Amino acid sequence: MDELTSIADMRTWSRERLKAGTRVAFVPTMGALHQGHLSLVEKARTLADEVVVSIYVNPTQFDNPEDLAKYPKTLEADLELCRAAGAAAVWTPDSAEMYPDGYCTFVEVVGPLTDKLCAVARPGHFRGVCTVVTKLLAVVRPDVAVFGQKDLQQALVISRMNGDLNLGTEIVVAPTVRDPDGLAMSSRNKRLTPAMRAKALGLPRGLELARRAYRAGQITSLKLIEIVAEELLVEEGVDMDYCDVVSLKGFAEAEHADDACVLAAAVFVDGVRLIDHVPLAGAAIPVKAD
Ligand code: AMP
């Protein structure tokens, strides 16, 4: 497995593949890798000859300096996991090169995709995500890039940006990987103590109970949101950042849910921010709800 740091080395690596007619898939990450990330690498391997993983904690997508400072970093373990998962290369760009002095160019998606949910809760977040993903794609120039459905709004924003800017990479979205208790895997889970994790389980449980209520005929969004709130707000140290029913048709908030809707929520568990969502017409989340 090749380990690359500079933009020039990454570019050379990609140019060689392009010349040889080798199809390249790309999995951008912020490291602290877990099975969710590795499932994207596995998917990427089915879509191309060689897979590049990038590991870069992008400062421009953090609105909160403390969150950035506390973001887990496990580079040696990450490299081992990438090697074992069959990645051909790992690129670890550094901020001095990504955002040199005088850097002043940003990419922004406007409209319904970025006026709700995480966009409101984390001002400037998607501008940072779009900027870094554009820069990463410009260097790697992959045939295909794989993103996780776990970050649904991010995947939709990136797909839109990729199309609007004619970046020419195929964007593939792969399913959310969960732990057996139902919690969506996340690098931030590394910051949860067992007691915090027990509280965090209210998130997938609430979403699953709401999904069941929808399937049983409850279509009033406010009621579905209440079900999630009831599972979470009973716990001390848990705050709801947002919880909304959003239609994937137009990405609009829906007063009444239908099969095109997802229920999405973000919570703070003793200061650690977790997000999750459930498609209301989708499969059950495996939780202990009974
Ligand atoms: P991150 O390192 O959190 O920026 O995530 C890098 C990529 O992995 C993004 O496309 C995420 O959506 C994806 N990802 C993170 N967690 C999961 C998960 N539990 N299941 C599937 N994909 C995930």
Side-chain angles (χ1 to χ4, degrees), residues 28-30 34 36-37 40 71 147-148 150-151 154 175-177 185:
T29 80
M30 297 206 297
H34 49 68
H37 296 113
L40 306 188
Y71 201 83
F147 293 85
K150 150 94 177 11
D151 300 284
Q154 169 176 283
T176 303
V177 176
M185 289 190 183

Side-chain angles (χ1 to χ4, degrees), residues 185-196:
M185 289 190 183
S186 163
S187 303
R188 288 191 166 91
N189 294 356
K190 293 192 165 71
R191 293 177 53 200
L192 300 176
T193 63
M196 288 161 74

Side-chain angles (χ1 to χ4, degrees), residues 62-71 122 188 191 273:
F62 286 81
D63 53 314
N64 175 349
E66 196 186 325
D67 192 25
L68 173 60
K70 286 188 174 166
Y71 201 83
R122 303 180 71 189
R188 288 191 166 91
R191 293 177 53 200
R273 189 170 185 278

Side-chain angles (χ1 to χ4, degrees), residues 27-40 54-57 61 71 129 146-152 154-155 158 172-179 183-189 275:
V27 179
T29 80
M30 297 206 297
L33 300 183
H34 49 68
Q35 194 50 47
H37 296 113
L38 300 178
S39 75
L40 306 188
S54 66
I55 298 176
Y56 179 56
V57 183
Q61 71 191 69
Y71 201 83
V129 169
V146 186
F147 293 85
Q149 195 185 332
K150 150 94 177 11
D151 300 284
L152 174 67
Q154 169 176 283
I158 288 168
V172 168
V173 181
T176 303
V177 176
R178 296 178 183 278
D179 277 319
L183 193 66
M185 289 190 183
S186 163
S187 303
R188 288 191 166 91
N189 294 356
I275 63 170

